[in-house]
Structure formats: C-alpha cells, structure tokens
Amino acid sequence: MRKKIWQLAILLPCVAIAQNRAIVLKVGTAYDGKGKTIRNTTIVVEGSKILRIGGAAPAGAITYDLTALTVSPGWIDTHTHIGYHFGDDGRNAGRGETPAKATLRAVDNAVATLDAGFTTIQSPGQASDKDLREAVARGIIPGPRILTSLQPLTENSGPPDQLRQLVRQRKEQGADLIKLFASASIREGGAQTMTDAQLQAACGEAKAQGLRTIVHAHSAESAKAATLAGCTSIEHGAYITDDVFALMEERGTYYDPNIGLVLQNYLENKPKFLGSGNYNEEGFAFMEKGVAIVRDTFKKALTHKKLKIVYGTDAVAGAHGRNFEEFIVRVRDGGEDPMAALESATSISAESLNLGDQIGSLAPGMQADIVGFDGNPLQDVNAARRAVFVMKGGKIYENRQPGH
C-alpha cells in the first residue's frame, strides 16, 4: 500500500540528515535512459547529484542494495493535471469545497505520483500549480519536480497582439511554459479552433521569451498549423496524418500521444464525471471509440522513426499515481519497443523540457532521480506498476523492497 502523506512527512527529516553522507546504490540491472544497460555496478550519489557510476564507495557512505530490482532514471510525465481531483462528494472537482481542501487533494496527487516513480511532471495548467510547485521545491511536502503553464490560452484569449501580451504576462507570473488550446476536444471532434495567426503569435512570442509551447491539437490541420508556427510539442493528436507526422519529424516537433490512461480513466470513472462541464453521454460514447482511434494513430506515429515521442498521460481526477499505465498500453497494445518507451519516459521527455542536461538519464553530474522496480518493465510491462524505491534529487522518498 502506498505511504500516506503523514508517513512520508515523518521520514523526510531522516532523509534530509542522511544527505550529509554519500549514498551508494548497488545495482544488478539498470537502464541509463538513453538505451544503454548497466549491470553489476554502483551508483554513487553525493548531495542531489550522481557523483559517479562504479568505483569504490566513499568513506562513511550509506549503502542500499538494489540488486534485486531493475533501476532506471526517475520517470517524467510531460502532461498531467496535478490539481484535478474528486471531492468528498465523489464528483469531479468537488462541489463547494474550500480552497484549502482542493490544495490538500493536489498534495495527495503529488505524493501518489512520486510514489509511482515519477520524479518530474509538467502540469498545464492551473494558477494553483505555482504554489504546489514552490512548496515541493522548498521540501515542505513530498512530490515530483513540477513545471507549469499556469492558466492556458485559447482562441478566446484575444487577437495576435493580445496573445503576445498574455504570453509575456504568463512569464511574469512565473510560468515555465505556455499551454495553448488549438482544437476542440476529442469528444467534440477535435477541429481547429485557434487561427494560424493566433498560433504564430503565441508560439513566436513564447520563443522570443525563452518559453516552450505545448499545444492541444487533435486534428491534422491544427497539428500542422502549430508545427508550422514553431510550437514545441503537439499534445494528443488523435487525427494526425502521415504527412503531418513527417512535417513534425522535419521540424523537430515533439509528439505527446496520451493513449494509455486518460480515456480509460474517464470511462472507468464515468459516474464521477458525467454531468460536469461537457462530459455527457454523447461524449462518453465517443471516448469509447477514441481508445482505438488514438492507439491506431500512435501505431502510425511509430513508423516515423525520427519523430520525437514524449511521455505524457493527461492524468486528471482518478488517474494520479497510475501514470505508469501509459507505458503498459504503449508497449502491450501500441507495439512500441519497451526500451524506446523507457527512453520516452526519461531522456526524450527531459530533452523536451529543456532539462536533458539535468534529468532523464543516469550519468555523473545528473540529478539523482532514481527509481527501482520490483521486476523488469522491459520484460514484463506490469512491473512498471511496481516502483518500490524512489529517489529524487538524492533524497529517498520510498523504499519498499520485497523482503524488507
């Protein structure tokens, strides 16, 4: 059973004290996040970073034996809505709940996500994400490293000049990236909503401000327009065609397919969503068909060998802490090579966040974000559900090894 927040809080002071000494992780099988397998060695952690792989243990180091586990870099979810939750009434977002209760639900989500082996997430976005991001960064609550767009921009945010101003405003407010809605939802057919000029203005200004842009775009037309506008990543893309995938390959645009968790979670929790917002019977009927649609589009994407596919789940209420389901579905149902899926969840996603020199791989100088699985996810996809050792930035947040 996952640790409760209060249990983790009790452990944290001990973890912080331990950081005055080096940590040595003995590993039998480890994947470095870039396609290489490392066997029968040690990972030496000093402070928040990996000091070296292999070599003698520093004097006074604390040693953890992970040889029974499969080790990888901490996984990254490039698209998860960390604040989305079910309330005390069991309904999406909860009715009439206090801001404090909503915040505590987001903390629940953060703990569950970290426990699952996800040490970095990108949340696009809510204004409240900023406070959670900063609380985790200060170390007062456990959770993954958080990047957020704050509130997204849509076709109704204004003409091009106003969009440029809003991009600058988001940066001043502390956004790590810009989130754009360029199409309708899959439940509504996914047609393009933002104009080409709006996309060019928003993505162009974001680039000028040093910000990345991720774009909700289901249709081929909206994905093409966002790619031509120089946006960083296309999210969802249920109806993207081969010619648009080829364009994305050429332009270096990232693709975030979200095939393994979001629609399945909606369908599993239908009574909790039905009747809120645009969640109606027609939409759920379409989502049932959508599971196969997005899977088949993902298979098409895999034929474009130079396409950079990142790992996002679009986790909403009910899905947090189950972010690993995306990996399982991509490999089991989508036919993705397991090592490629692991690289997507680690180094490729890190690169898409402009953090490839800090996270996403096991190498000297990288942040010590390290996960151990009970089993080998590359041999048995279900092992992705069993993260039993979680270290983030050199601090151990979970150690539930079998037999311990």
Side-chain angles (χ1 to χ4, degrees):
M1 183 178 292
R2 297 295 183 192
K3 291 184 177 67
K4 300 297 183 183
I5 296 172
W6 63 268
Q7 292 175 305
L8 281 166
I10 290 171
L11 290 174
L12 281 176
C14 299
V15 170
I17 292 170
Q19 302 321 297
N20 294 324
R21 299 164 62 185
I23 293 176
V24 175
L25 306 178
K26 295 174 61 178
V27 299
T29 299
Y31 300 112
D32 75 344
K34 293 190 171 183
K36 182 180 177 182
T37 303
I38 306 169
R39 297 195 187 278
N40 301 319
T41 190
T42 57
I43 301 173
V44 181
V45 175
E46 192 169 84
S48 68
K49 296 184 178 182
I50 297 173
L51 178 65
R52 63 174 178 270
I53 295 178
I62 302 169
T63 299
Y64 292 86
D65 188 349
L66 307 185
T67 52
L69 308 181
T70 302
V71 172
S72 81
W75 287 23
I76 300 166
D77 190 335
T78 60
H79 192 135
T80 175
H81 298 277
I82 196 66
Y84 289 17
H85 62 279
F86 297 131
D88 290 342
D89 59 0
R91 298 281 293 163
N92 182 37
R95 300 177 187 176
E97 67 183 8
T98 64
K101 184 160 285 189
T103 297
L104 291 172
R105 294 285 187 181
V107 173
D108 282 344
N109 292 341
V111 172
T113 302
L114 182 62
D115 275 357
F118 287 79
T119 52
T120 300
I121 63 168
Q122 182 166 255
S123 183
Q126 293 175 285
S128 58
D129 289 344
K130 179 180 177 181
D131 293 332
L132 183 61
R133 176 190 69 188
E134 294 176 355
V136 170
R138 291 197 305 273
I140 62 173
I141 58 170
R145 190 176 293 104
I146 297 174
L147 305 177
T148 178
S149 67
L150 304 179
Q151 292 171 308
L153 304 178
T154 73
E155 74 275 13
N156 297 320
S157 296
D161 283 346
Q162 187 169 342
L163 283 168
R164 292 188 186 95
Q165 181 181 346
L166 287 171
V167 167
R168 294 191 293 270
Q169 184 181 91
R170 289 290 182 275
K171 182 176 182 179
E172 292 171 1
Q173 292 167 339
D176 301 295
L177 70 146
I178 300 297
K179 166 70 180 296
L180 303 171
F181 278 91
S183 83
S185 73
I186 189 172
R187 299 185 300 279
E188 299 164 326
Q192 184 172 342
T193 51
M194 293 187 84
T195 66
D196 290 5
Q198 285 178 312
L199 284 167
Q200 290 160 10
C203 292
E205 185 61 33
K207 187 173 183 180
Q209 296 294 326
L211 296 176
R212 296 170 295 105
T213 42
I214 68 170
V215 185
H216 170 111
H218 276 294
S219 65
E221 293 76 16
S222 57
K224 180 178 180 180
T227 300
L228 291 174
C231 307
T232 307
S233 178
I234 305 301
E235 310 298 302
H236 319 308
Y239 305 110
I240 296 180
T241 51
D242 278 313
D243 60 316
V244 176
F245 278 136
L247 178 66
M248 291 169 64
E249 279 184 295
E250 177 189 332
R251 297 294 182 97
T253 308
Y254 294 96
Y255 176 49
D256 193 4
N258 318 137
I259 73 164
L261 179 60
V262 60
L263 293 179
Q264 293 87 342
N265 179 70
Y266 280 135
L267 294 169
E268 291 166 14
N269 290 289
K270 178 180 176 180
K272 298 179 180 180
F273 286 100
L274 192 63
S276 65
N278 61 354
Y279 297 105
N280 53 35
E281 289 288 358
E282 183 180 6
F284 274 97
F286 197 88
M287 283 192 280
E288 289 180 358
K289 299 175 183 177
V291 172
I293 292 171
V294 297
R295 181 196 63 217
D296 292 345
T297 300
F298 178 69
K299 289 182 177 180
K300 187 188 306 177
L302 291 178
T303 67
H304 295 265
K305 300 303 182 183
K306 295 183 180 179
L307 182 65
K308 296 186 288 189
I309 302 177
V310 298
Y311 188 101
T313 64
D314 199 12
V316 294
H320 300 289
R322 300 195 295 129
N323 312 65
F324 41 69
E325 296 295 337
E326 180 77 17
F327 176 89
I328 293 169
V329 172
R330 286 190 187 189
V331 175
R332 185 192 64 202
D333 304 336
E336 187 172 22
D337 173 76
M339 182 67 87
L342 178 65
E343 290 178 68
S344 176
T346 54
S347 63
I348 297 173
S349 287
E351 175 192 293
S352 78
L353 305 179
N354 287 340
L355 293 175
D357 60 344
Q358 300 177 50
I359 61 173
S361 61
L362 301 179
M366 302 295 286
Q367 286 290 316
D369 294 356
I370 300 170
V371 178
F373 296 92
D374 176 16
N376 189 328
L378 272 60
Q379 297 172 2
D380 171 16
V381 290
N382 294 313
R385 296 187 173 114
R386 301 193 296 272
V388 296
F389 179 90
V390 179
M391 171 184 280
K392 187 194 80 175
K395 294 183 179 181
I396 297 169
Y397 288 89
E398 183 170 55
N399 187 13
R400 301 183 299 112
Q401 296 186 63
H404 284 242

